[in-house]
Amino acid sequence: KKGRSIEAMEDSATGVTYTRRSFGGMPSPPREGDMQERLLSDHGGVVRQEVQEEKKASKLLVAFVFLLFVVLRSMDRVFNKRVQDRMVNYQLMYMNVLWPIGVQVMTVFMCWVYVEQQNAKAKALGKEKLYDYTFFLPGSALASKNGSYPQWRLGLFSFWDEVNAVFTSLPGPYISLTMQSILTNLNVVWTVVISIFYLGARYGQAHYAGCLLIVLSGLVAVTVELQSGSGLNTYVSATGTTLTTSSLWYIVFVLGTIPAGISNCYKEKVLKTQDLDIMYAVLWSGYWQILWGFLLFPINWIRMPDPAVYNAPGDTWTYVENTWTCFTGVAPDPTNEQDMACESAGGSAAVWFIVYLVFNVAFNVLMLWLTKEMSATWATIGTVLCLDLTSLFSMSKTLMGDEATPVTLEQYFGLALAGIGMWVYNLVDEDDTHWRRLPPSGRAGGGDGEGEEAEDDYDDAPRMTRGSLDVSFASDRTSSFGRMW
């Protein structure tokens, strides 16, 4: 024991510091176990630091992509408004024919990106390719975990979307973009009311308070107009001219948000009880929406509030020809003040429609990337940011041209109330126990004798909350499905 000492030494090869004991001045070599343990400890520290740095970089990337997504989404709505303002006399032809076809082209591209993404993910995990060209066929076995899916159900997916698109786009040229953003939030209210009866859903006080704030936001935004009795009957045309209109268009727009609530509830029921591939549903419901657009065309023969031009059934072919003329930037009737919007400065409706589609596919690609990162809370934040940014962008002459309109003080208050309403609504999770009460045959993979398997399929199925579902934007089918992820 006498003469024993302990001193620190550093290995010149590894740089690892260890201790050695000396007995009477004779050093003993370091133990091999001590060295390995210290090496593993230091290596683990380096790995943990690298992992933390990667997580930090990943969070920054997600934040950047999310903000870019919000900006592109807001600008996409601005550009669609510019198309609507130019097609003021041909709105139904635009929304029933041109818009579904144009968006479906973008949807096919989106689905191709999705298929490639899924195959790349499978390759990275060392698995076989999961998707091929059969994904794009109507009876594809890739439609769901249980194989093909009935097309008529996918048709119902988009029927109510098209009804919503028609009755919220017809008043589009006569209502400012800010007011459209605020009124569109009523989708949340209708979804809650309909889901209580159709889905047996139950809500708490926070949800009802959020809905009430959303309703109040719409009333606050038009307080001055309601008090003065003027303002709701004027609008700024694509030429920058203030023209008179009927305040009934606001009622048409509000009624047009009801089909969105029906659509949301139906999609929720199907996607929560069937393990359906969402992008497949987007693709084929889009083809059905083109059909619905043609079948709903006779709405054009109904007399609408002023200053909409009445189109008799016998004038349909002339109406179609004039639509294309206006779409390319030429006024079919130079004596008609509203037709002159077709020749507005800054580009034709066709030009802005192409710009709109580019931004539409851009933000949807980003949303596809964000799918695994976004929660219902983030979706709600995205909704509020999009609403506010859209209103700010609508004041920009650079983005909106001559139809740019200032946001009034009461509209700022309305936007703030809508944001608070969405926040309050998401303070408490929704009670989705009513889905657990469904019999096994009502779930994906369910059937007689397959209750246990059905339960497993349900638990593995993509989950949604209505907080993310109701990030609703009029006339946007692709993002409508995307917000369910």
Side-chain angles (χ1 to χ4, degrees):
K1 310 279 191 298
K2 187 177 181 180
R4 178 179 297 180
S5 64
I6 299 177
E7 59 180 304
M9 292 190 65
E10 182 176 328
D11 190 297
S12 59
T14 64
V16 176
T17 301
Y18 58 88
T19 61
R20 72 172 185 177
R21 295 177 176 84
S22 60
F23 299 85
M26 297 295 294
S28 62
R31 289 183 298 179
E32 184 177 351
D34 291 343
M35 287 187 64
Q36 290 179 348
E37 183 179 349
R38 186 60 181 270
L39 281 169
L40 289 174
S41 177
D42 286 3
H43 178 68
V46 172
V47 170
R48 283 194 296 272
Q49 185 178 359
E50 290 178 351
V51 170
Q52 290 176 353
E53 290 178 353
E54 288 178 1
K55 286 184 177 180
K56 184 178 180 181
S58 177
K59 289 181 179 179
L60 290 175
L61 180 60
V62 170
F64 173 76
V65 174
F66 177 75
L67 290 175
L68 183 60
F69 158 78
V70 170
V71 171
L72 292 178
R73 180 66 189 95
S74 303
M75 295 181 70
D76 143 275
R77 301 189 72 224
V78 167
F79 298 140
N80 187 48
K81 180 69 163 65
R82 298 201 73 171
V83 180
Q84 289 182 330
D85 288 348
R86 283 158 175 73
M87 303 287 290
V88 57
N89 277 347
Y90 310 96
Q91 196 62 217
L92 194 133
M93 184 68 179
Y94 166 61
M95 192 49 61
N96 279 42
V97 179
L98 300 177
W99 183 84
I101 293 175
V103 171
Q104 185 62 12
V105 171
M106 296 293 103
T107 301
V108 172
F109 173 76
M110 276 288 302
C111 288
W112 174 79
V113 173
Y114 170 74
V115 167
E116 292 300 317
Q117 183 190 57
Q118 294 300 311
N119 287 333
K121 192 182 299 182
K123 184 178 180 181
L125 296 174
K127 298 181 180 180
E128 295 183 3
K129 183 185 290 188
L130 299 175
Y131 290 78
D132 54 23
Y133 73 92
T134 60
F135 179 82
F136 296 90
L137 300 180
S140 176
L142 299 170
S144 72
K145 198 173 184 178
N146 304 302
S148 60
Y149 192 77
Q151 282 291 319
W152 68 270
R153 286 188 177 275
L154 296 178
L156 288 179
F157 262 51
S158 57
F159 173 76
W160 294 109
D161 284 339
E162 182 62 22
V163 176
N164 164 252
V166 169
F167 285 100
T168 55
S169 65
L170 284 173
Y174 311 115
I175 302 177
S176 72
L177 199 51
T178 300
M179 280 306 305
Q180 288 186 45
S181 298
I182 295 173
L183 294 177
T184 297
N185 284 324
L186 290 173
N187 292 348
V188 180
V189 180
W190 299 125
T191 302
V192 168
V193 173
I194 295 169
S195 65
I196 291 174
F197 299 98
Y198 180 62
L199 302 177
R202 294 295 178 264
Y203 298 90
Q205 292 185 8
H207 304 125
Y208 293 121
C211 291
L212 183 59
L213 285 171
I214 289 172
V215 173
L216 289 176
S217 70
L219 295 175
V220 168
V222 293
T223 298
V224 174
E225 287 80 0
L226 292 175
Q227 286 182 327
S228 63
S230 62
L232 294 179
N233 58 347
T234 60
Y235 74 101
V236 179
S237 69
T239 59
T241 307
T242 300
L243 302 175
T244 58
T245 183
S246 172
S247 55
L248 291 176
W249 282 117
Y250 284 82
I251 298 177
V252 174
F253 191 97
V254 170
L255 293 177
T257 60
I258 298 177
I262 299 174
S263 177
N264 287 342
C265 291
Y266 178 74
K267 290 171 187 174
E268 182 176 357
K269 182 176 182 178
V270 171
L271 290 174
K272 275 195 172 182
T273 57
Q274 302 290 332
D275 198 358
L276 180 65
D277 187 292
I278 295 179
M279 287 306 293
Y280 183 86
V282 173
L283 176 68
W284 278 97
S285 64
Y287 287 122
W288 279 96
Q289 190 161 355
I290 294 175
L291 174 63
W292 297 134
F294 282 103
L295 293 180
L296 292 174
F297 185 83
I299 294 175
N300 193 52
W301 303 333
I302 301 174
R303 290 189 181 274
M304 294 291 174
D306 292 333
V309 177
Y310 172 68
N311 296 286
D315 299 331
T316 298
W317 183 247
T318 302
Y319 176 80
V320 171
E321 290 181 331
N322 289 346
T323 298
W324 186 254
T325 302
C326 179
F327 190 64
T328 56
V330 179
D333 181 7
T335 62
N336 186 305
E337 190 171 15
Q338 290 194 105
D339 263 12
M340 292 305 296
C342 304
E343 299 183 356
S344 299
S348 65
V351 170
W352 288 110
F353 185 56
I354 293 173
V355 174
Y356 160 76
L357 291 178
V358 170
F359 274 76
N360 184 279
V361 73
F363 88 75
N364 274 293
V365 168
L366 293 180
M367 184 171 62
L368 192 62
W369 186 88
L370 285 167
T371 297
K372 60 182 180 181
E373 307 290 345
M374 288 181 64
S375 64
T377 303
W378 276 105
T380 304
I381 294 172
T383 305
V384 176
L385 290 177
C386 282
L387 291 176
D388 294 342
L389 277 180
T390 300
S391 299
L392 294 177
F393 289 160
S394 68
M395 297 189 296
S396 171
K397 283 273 187 182
T398 303
L399 296 176
M400 284 293 290
D402 292 334
E403 59 257 53
T405 54
V407 178
T408 62
L409 179 61
E410 62 269 21
Q411 288 175 343
Y412 279 120
F413 289 151
L415 288 169
L417 263 182
I420 295 173
M422 297 294 284
W423 172 50
V424 169
Y425 186 94
N426 285 274
L427 285 176
V428 180
D429 292 336
E430 294 166 329
D431 179 12
D432 63 352
T433 54
H434 55 286
W435 293 115
R436 294 292 182 180
R437 294 195 294 269
L438 286 174
S441 60
R443 297 178 185 143
D448 295 338
E450 299 182 14
E452 184 176 349
E453 180 182 352
E455 181 69 25
D456 292 339
D457 286 344
Y458 171 74
D459 288 338
D460 293 338
R463 291 179 179 270
M464 303 177 298
T465 64
R466 201 163 297 110
S468 60
L469 182 92
D470 282 318
V471 181
S472 183
F473 302 101
S475 311
D476 199 321
R477 183 181 68 246
T478 312
S479 64
S480 175
F481 279 92
R483 59 180 177 266
M484 298 179 195
W485 294 18

